[in-house]
Amino acid sequence: MLEARLEQAGVLKKVVDAIRDLVQDINFDCNDSGIALQAMDNSHVALVSMLLKSEGFSPYRLDRNIALGINLTSLTKVLRCAQNEDILTLKAEDTPDTLSLIFENAENDRISEYELKLMDIDQEHLGIPETEYAAAISMPSAEFQRICRDLIQLSDSVTIEASKEGVKFSCSGDIGSGSVTLRQQNNVDKPDLSTKIELTEPVTLTFSLKYLVNFCKASALSSVVTLSLSNEVPLLVEYAMGSGFVRFYLAPKIGE
Amino acid sequence: PADQESLLSYFGKR
């Protein structure tokens, strides 16, 4: 059986909010590392990979690996019944038909218990190769969100150009064109507001803004986002949490 | 316009 207790229900709520517009039916793969998921969107353009590490739960008990087939719209409905500050316990049997979600308030005088019906989801898992990226840009997640939301007003796609001078996001559409350039800067007082660029070679790639705007729903999970790019490979957008991560992969657009 | 690539051309099925 699985028993996993999370100090803050808000963490799972934010994770689900971040991915539920991209993927609908998913498996939570529970193993010794923690609770993981990997799923592609219907068009096979974007992939989400998430891990809530077992260390992030206290306790984390698992007798054997199990996959919990979940409809995220249904899970969202149940998670709405939890306060962000509630303690959340997930429980499931070894061959589960349902997932139990128990919410307790911090004062320990309210306990809510919900059962979510599980589904059989036949999910294809992709092998994501270890990649040495040519450029890794870490920046405030709110800044990345603002840039994507601004540029999508002008165009469907954005060209990201990373060089040692900085990172330039540019787009061009029917009404005109626009760009935002961020220079590398180190904010000593507030490291989360720094923009850092690690570069082995300059990179220029074009991506669909619709997906990037969607990924930015994970901004609530982390104040910092890391964009990893190499020419002609999918972009990696990572939101790191205290004990886990949400990663998005997006295939580039090619040709003009 | 640029063509949207599929992830399947980069990541193999496991």
Side-chain angles (χ1 to χ4, degrees):
Chain A
M1 67 166 277
L2 165 77
E3 183 182 349
R5 185 172 171 275
L6 196 58
E7 211 55 52
Q8 298 255 311
V11 174
L12 187 63
K13 290 175 84 152
K14 285 177 197 165
V15 167
V16 172
D17 281 344
I19 64 174
R20 69 186 161 89
D21 290 333
L22 201 63
V23 292
Q24 284 75 44
D25 295 329
I26 53 96
N27 277 321
F28 276 151
D29 296 310
C30 306
N31 57 41
D32 288 341
S33 330
I35 300 178
L37 85 82
Q38 192 207 75
M40 261 189 301
D41 80 307
N42 286 332
S43 59
H44 292 180
V45 169
L47 179 141
V48 54
S49 166
M50 181 231 48
L51 176 64
L52 293 170
K53 290 183 190 164
S54 52
E55 302 94 276
F57 297 92
S58 177
Y60 184 82
R61 290 197 195 106
L62 185 70
D63 297 331
R64 46 164 291 198
N65 293 355
I66 51 173
L68 306 170
I70 288 173
N71 173 277
L72 287 179
T73 305
S74 307
L75 178 60
T76 299
K77 287 178 183 173
V78 173
L79 287 174
R80 283 209 185 108
C81 306
Q83 305 290 310
N84 283 339
E85 300 74 27
D86 282 355
I87 298 161
L88 161 65
T89 306
L90 302 172
K91 281 187 185 174
E93 302 296 329
D94 279 348
T95 49
D97 296 322
T98 59
L99 170 68
S100 301
L101 298 102
I102 299 143
F103 312 134
E104 296 167 78
N105 64 351
E107 293 75 25
N108 221 336
D109 52 17
R110 172 180 46 78
I111 300 175
S112 317
E113 298 184 70
Y114 292 86
E115 297 259 305
L116 182 67
K117 288 181 190 165
L118 298 175
M119 313 160 66
D120 257 332
I121 296 168
D122 186 18
Q123 203 141 50
E124 44 190 7
H125 273 257
L126 296 185
I128 302 167
E130 284 286 322
T131 306
E132 292 281 340
Y133 288 95
I137 300 144
S138 62
M139 59 188 284
S141 56
E143 183 83 74
F144 180 56
Q145 184 168 42
R146 193 174 318 121
I147 291 169
C148 292
R149 284 183 179 171
D150 288 349
L151 297 187
I152 202 170
Q153 299 186 85
L154 278 81
S155 176
D156 293 340
S157 49
V158 60
T159 298
I160 305 178
E161 211 176 326
S163 68
K164 58 179 189 296
E165 281 78 39
V167 55
K168 184 176 181 183
F169 300 85
S170 55
C171 73
S172 170
D174 292 342
I175 65 160
S177 61
S179 74
V180 180
T181 304
L182 299 181
R183 292 186 202 293
Q184 187 152 214
Q185 53 90 9
N186 189 22
N187 190 320
V188 181
D189 297 329
K190 293 177 181 166
D192 285 3
L193 298 180
S194 297
T195 298
K196 292 178 199 157
I197 302 168
E198 284 172 40
L199 195 82
T200 52
E201 60 171 334
V203 186
T204 302
L205 284 166
T206 300
F207 299 99
S208 161
L209 275 165
K210 181 181 73 175
Y211 287 95
L212 294 180
V213 166
N214 214 323
F215 298 169
C216 287
K217 289 175 182 158
S219 300
L221 285 169
S222 172
S223 54
V224 176
V225 62
T226 305
L227 313 179
S228 299
L229 304 106
S230 279
N231 284 317
E232 290 165 29
V233 305
L235 165 74
L236 164 59
V237 179
E238 174 164 4
Y239 296 85
M241 300 176 277
S243 50
F245 58 76
V246 172
R247 292 177 186 155
F248 299 99
Y249 294 87
L250 180 62
K253 289 187 158 194
I254 50 159
E256 284 297 327
Chain B
D3 279 332
Q4 179 62 63
E5 283 272 84
S6 160
L7 269 183
L8 296 172
S9 43
Y10 298 96
F11 299 157
K13 285 184 189 175
R14 214 184 280 161

